[in-house]
Amino acid sequence: MSGRRDFLNQPAPENYVAGLGRGATGFTTRSDLGPAREGPSEDQIKEALAKRAAQLGAAAPTAYGATEKKEEENDDDERFQDPENEVGLFAGGAYDKDDDEADRIYQEVDEKMDRRRKARREAREKAEQEEYERNNPKIQQQFADLKRALTTVSDEDWANLPEVGDLTGKNRRNKQALRQKFYAVPDSVIAGARDSSELGTTVADDGPSGDNESGTMTNFADIGAARDKVLQVRLDQAGSGTDSVAGSATNIDPKGYLTSLAKSQVNSGEAQVADIKRVRVLLESVIRTNPKHAPGWIAAARLEELAGKTVAARNVIARACEFCPKSEDVWLENIRLNDNHNAKIIAANAIKNNDRSVNLWIEAMKLESEARAKKKVLRHALDHIPQSVMLWKEAVNLEEDPADARLLLAKATEIIPLSVELWLALARLESSDNAQKVLNKARKAIPTSHEIWIAAARLQEQIGNTTINVMKRAVQALAKESAMLKREEWITEAEKCEEEDAVLTCGAIIRETLGWGLDEDDDRKDIWMEDARASIGRGKYETARAIYAYALRVFVNSRKLWLAAADLEKNHGTKEALWQTLEKAVEACPQSEVLWMMLAKEKWQAGEIDNARRVLGRAFNQNPNNEDIWLAAVKLEAENKEPEQARKLLEQARQEAPTDRVWMKSVAFERQLGDLDAALDLVNQALQLFPGAAKLWMMKGQIYESDGKLPQAREAYGTGTKACTKSVPLWLLYSRLEERVGNVVKARGVLDRARLAVPKSPELWTESVRLERRANNMSQAKNLMAQALQQVPTSGLLYTESIWHLEARTQRKPRALEAIKKVDNDPILFVTIARIFWGERRLEKAQNWFEKAILLDSDIGDAWAWYYKFLMQHGTDEKRADVIAKMILSEPRHGEVWQSVAKDPKNARKSQEDVLKLVVGKLE
């Protein structure tokens, strides 16, 4: 039998489809065909390519068989495959040398282009990824900083975390709560319910029984006192800058808070016992759960100590030492709770378990009473812990002989060469020459320490050697080591040197380091002035003086800096230093008339009249035709009773510097001398030149008033108000003149026209209110005040008028509280509040508010006068003298009563102190 199978039993040829030759394929779908047959694998393709290359006698192609090509480079091959056949479209085609060479060339080009674009592509992709992560952070990333901060949370803070509340159905419960209505139960119902369950055997007295302790009777006196207390607290909060709205305060006064707590203590013995029991249970649970937790043991022991059970506390801490033998805090607590004899035994056991604990060794040393025993303990400690700076310092402090202390410190610096404290302590104990050697060794051992350089500079200052600039070398060395401090830190070091009377070292530090880190583009002048002001505020005047000296070397022609330096010398320096500073200032800034006048004034106040004249003569040469210098010369001659010389100077000034101010001073000078005709002649001439000068019109009207010529005064004021419609003082003088002659209606009309011209003037509104009040028209006065507070809601003057004259006495404090909420830092209002406290005999608070007003604006003379009047009744002679001295330095020039007294020609020759006392006499 033949081994060949018949035709029907033979396998079908490859790719055979029945009926395809005769077109009998029919209609088929993908479900009929099933999945596509798998094409040849990659290994089969390589084998076929290699076989074909061998037949052609060529080398095997490398384009498809290259092993060094990375897998990720073929990620995009799927785009070029046939979806019906996962094998390449041309896999079965002929492949020759040209195809191989083309593939190789294309591959090299692709690799080269990929290498060229790879860096930019990766950078772009990385930036896109970072941008996406930044815009869409994960929850874990958003809370990463908070999770890191949890490492600083102590066990006590964890224990104090509140429990999570039940928020389920919160909105529903809130809506239900809104629908519920509650009504206040009358006192009679409460009293009846209370008495219904009582059995009484006595006859009740129908007479009045006073206040009932149960609260069924209302005590109006207590309610009034509570209201006053609340208002007082709110006023204090408003004055100190705290948030006065209840429930929104952002800062707390610790002193006042603790005081209020002390006042609000109650007898809560039973509650305290209950709290102790509850906490004892909690701590026992903590100890039982984690017996190795040392803070839990310590808290339990202290709880027993608080409860007065010392023996129980000792037992607890003794058990803690058994469970936590390596805890330093537990042993220290055990030592503290026991007496001296037992504490020594405990300390010995503690050191056996913790021989590297510095605190335990020091505590053991403190338990000894004799110095010899203490030294012995410290020697043992240093044998175990030779690197402890604290132990070496304690050992040095126990030595009474400086020589022994030097030996100890020398040994300490050998063992711990990086301790700045030990080096400096050794240098302080050595002589000058040896101290220099010690500091040189320290500098070599610790080249980054600025403290050693400062100590070297101070040593040179103590020796008296000013030729060596140690700080200059220090800055160079520290900069080389990249150990330079910031400018603010150097200023702090300079202030420390000033505290220890090392003034030269302080100046050297500022001179060498103040400009560190600042470029010319920075606002160096403003920065340095701010540094100087900060040092002055801390009381470090030598540091501020050094800062100004350095700044003036950089900005020689800065008038602002020279004025600040002169002000420092005036307030905190000597007279000679002030003169020297001003002499340098006028040489550097000869065109600054302010500096010339300051120097002349200081010379004049010192009694050197001739030198003051010479200074003004030099000022004339540098600043010809300067009105300030002319007027300063006139004032100098007038104050020294040389009226003819002053008159000549004024006449010359009117010719060479004919300004309206010079003419005003000329008129005022003639009025002070009593020559009204000359003054009137001068004012008429001045008005021809300066018709828009409101002060000249006021002077003209005042001259006529003082001479009794009221119609002429009215004409002068009327003409002046037409020429100067915005001058508030001129309108006020006009209305007061009409009121003085009895024309209240006309005065009211003048003020109405004035308010139309200047609608936002608090002075005009106040005068209108006062006019109605003086005319006994209180209803109109209140109406005008309401309009005024709408127009000018931030005027302390208006609120003061309302509080004192339009409100009842009981409403003054609430009105003041309302005012201080709306008015931001007004000295007139502060004086009003001080007067309210003064009237209530709260003298300390009144004094505080007076001082706040003066600090806020020292130019208000009325505030000084009210404060001095207060001190005349409730102050000491020293305090009154201090206030007068500060007032003279401040030279106040404003204030309603102050200006009326100071500008009066009769008081022209009076001093500031005399004017103050006159103003005090006129205050109401």
Side-chain angles (χ1 to χ4, degrees), residues 24 68 105 132 239 251 253 319 331 435 448 473 528 548 569 574 661 682 691 719 924:
E68 66 274 8
I105 292 173
Y132 177 80
N251 52 356
D253 178 18
R319 292 174 55 206
W331 287 106
T448 59
R473 294 172 53 196
W528 289 337
Y548 281 135
E569 298 297 341
T574 61
R661 188 165 167 230
L682 286 173
T719 307
E924 297 179 359

Side-chain angles (χ1 to χ4, degrees), residues 165-184:
D166 182 16
L167 301 180
T168 306
K170 180 179 178 181
N171 294 332
R172 177 172 51 82
R173 289 197 301 271
N174 291 339
K175 291 180 180 179
Q176 291 177 355
L178 291 176
R179 288 194 294 269
Q180 292 178 357
K181 295 183 180 180
F182 299 92
Y183 298 92

